[in-house]
Amino acid sequence: MCIVLTALNAPFALRRLKAARALLSDLTPLKSDCGRLCEGACCQPDETGLNGMLLYPHEEKLYRKTIEGFAFTLLDDDGLYKGGKRLVCEGVCPREHRPLACRIFPLRMRVNATDDSPSVTAELDPRAWAVCPLLEEGGLRAMRSDFIKAVETAGEILCANTEIFAALLNEQRALDEARHL
């Protein structure tokens, strides 16, 4: 997408992102703190110290300023889309500032784009198997149904923005290809 269209699209994308993030502001996979099961494994840095979460298009704009109590770095990462960013933190953040990818973890949004209006299904994120015990403890059945529904609704909100929709499809394509290797 050209620079002008991307700049014009930013406010619309940010509205969609904020709405999706708000849906998941207080919901977590379990009614209790799931981090107690694994000592917050999903928030811990890997051996490189550069783990982090991929940000959706324009989400990096929410991290342009310093946030008290949240030490993070933004790194270039074209994993979801050209010019993308990854947020790397120290494993502790104010909940209201978590990236969307953290809010939906250990799920991902599968876009079903076979008709005029895409639908989204929440599914287990294959990248979560390395750190999340919920996947082995029953997968989706172990998670709150309202959390799963909120992930799906957030995905449908995001699909209304072409840049984010394309990023979701890119992620889906990459994960599907990795499954078949």
Side-chain angles (χ1 to χ4, degrees):
M1 190 176 280
C2 78
I3 294 171
V4 173
L5 288 178
T6 299
L8 291 173
N9 188 41
F12 302 107
L14 275 170
R15 269 188 243 142
R16 294 285 173 183
L17 280 163
K18 287 178 181 178
R21 287 166 55 117
L23 278 175
L24 293 150
S25 64
D26 295 324
L27 287 174
T28 58
L30 300 178
K31 289 187 183 197
S32 62
D33 180 2
C34 62
R36 290 184 194 165
L37 293 175
C38 61
E39 297 179 7
C42 59
C43 295
Q44 302 308 311
D46 64 9
E47 61 279 355
T48 67
L50 297 176
N51 55 338
M53 294 302 248
L54 294 171
L55 299 178
Y56 291 92
H58 304 288
E59 192 174 12
E60 77 281 355
K61 291 172 177 60
L62 301 174
Y63 299 99
R64 285 189 173 158
K65 296 179 182 176
T66 302
I67 298 170
E68 187 176 332
F70 189 17
F72 64 87
T73 304
L74 293 179
L75 301 175
D76 293 336
D77 191 316
D78 292 340
L80 284 181
Y81 59 96
K82 186 174 172 28
K85 298 288 183 192
R86 181 168 26 115
L87 185 140
V88 177
C89 71
E90 295 178 354
V92 179
C93 69
R95 290 190 64 75
E96 67 271 15
H97 293 292
R98 291 175 299 147
L100 183 58
C102 291
R103 294 172 193 230
I104 68 172
F105 194 82
L107 301 179
R108 62 170 300 280
M109 298 175 259
R110 172 166 287 283
V111 177
N112 307 305
T114 55
D115 54 13
D116 291 339
S117 61
S119 63
V120 173
T121 304
E123 68 177 21
L124 301 175
D125 189 326
R127 298 165 292 193
W129 283 98
V131 295
C132 184
L134 290 178
L135 278 64
E136 290 184 15
E137 298 295 326
L140 288 171
R141 291 184 316 276
M143 295 180 209
R144 294 170 56 171
S145 60
D146 57 344
F147 172 73
I148 295 167
K149 180 63 181 157
V151 170
E152 292 172 344
T153 303
E156 289 171 2
I157 288 169
L158 295 175
C159 284
N161 180 272
T162 56
E163 280 184 274
I164 300 173
F165 179 68
L168 287 169
L169 290 176
N170 287 341
E171 176 185 49
Q172 185 166 304
R173 192 174 307 111
L175 290 174
D176 288 348
E177 288 172 2
R179 283 183 183 161
H180 297 358
L181 292 179

